Amino acid sequence: MDALVVYESMFGNTQKIAEAVAEGLATRMRTEVTEVDAAPAHVGQEIALLVVGGPTHAFSMSRTSTRQSAAQQAAGPLVSRGKGVREWLATLSTSSAALGWAVFDTRVAKPRLPGSAARAVARRLRRLGVRSVAPVQSFYVTGTQGPLAEGELDRARRWGESLAASFSVPTP
């Protein structure tokens, strides 16, 4: 496997973006997409590119309290019902100095509120000592529960394609 896409999603919008990014990556790389609760705690050398995405909650990554609030708003069960990206990153380790990463989030399009889950994820990944391969990316929903803004799935697919096309593992 070359690429691993890990996502957290409350209402399914971030999951759809993660799947579209994975489709784009799969045009050039073997790719697996997984919900954060099933994601590995250790990323080894078999993974060249780690892509992480989550919803922006209260200006950053979700927390237990914001996930509880989302559950109260939801008409049905949440997609991510266990731990979130924040908790997963707190325990994540890697043995690969060549690991590259890219991150994305989903955010409400209007009003454009400050803060970004993706920027917070990027800060955590930098602490692992692995390298960024692309600027953080935001995809937009039309309301707290969605749906995705028009064209966002296509944009996510193209972003995945561009990540795969530009990604190269540095030689030691």
Side-chain angles (χ1 to χ4, degrees):
M1 174 175 37
D2 292 328
L4 175 63
V5 179
V6 176
Y7 70 89
E8 173 187 351
S9 185
M10 299 295 107
F11 307 112
N13 299 298
T14 310
Q15 177 183 17
K16 290 175 186 172
I17 294 294
E19 290 168 350
V21 170
E23 285 175 26
L25 287 167
T27 62
R28 294 184 183 225
M29 307 174 80
R30 288 187 312 257
T31 304
E32 182 179 328
V33 62
T34 188
E35 193 272 331
V36 67
D37 214 27
H42 180 80
V43 175
Q45 295 184 0
E46 72 279 6
I47 304 293
L49 176 62
L50 175 65
V51 180
V52 181
T56 298
H57 282 205
F59 314 115
S60 191
M61 290 184 279
S62 74
R63 297 179 299 284
T64 301
S65 62
T66 63
R67 289 191 296 274
Q68 289 171 344
S69 177
Q72 292 170 352
Q73 296 174 43
L78 299 178
V79 173
S80 295
R81 290 176 275 213
K83 67 184 171 188
V85 167
R86 178 186 299 266
E87 293 81 11
W88 177 69
L89 288 171
T91 62
L92 179 65
S93 66
T94 183
S95 57
S96 175
L99 179 66
W101 58 263
V103 297
F104 70 91
D105 62 19
T106 52
R107 314 170 59 171
V108 175
K110 293 181 184 177
R112 293 266 170 105
L113 297 172
S116 164
R119 286 195 296 270
V121 171
R123 282 192 298 276
R124 301 272 175 119
L125 288 171
R126 280 187 205 103
R127 289 183 201 146
L128 280 177
V130 293
R131 67 187 176 99
S132 169
V133 299
V136 299
Q137 188 68 242
S138 290
F139 296 94
Y140 296 98
V141 294
T142 60
T144 301
Q145 295 187 40
L148 289 164
E150 188 173 326
E152 291 300 83
L153 285 177
D154 289 335
R155 193 164 71 83
R157 202 169 293 107
R158 288 191 309 273
W159 186 62
E161 289 170 359
S162 71
L163 285 174
S166 66
F167 184 76
S168 63
V169 178
T171 54

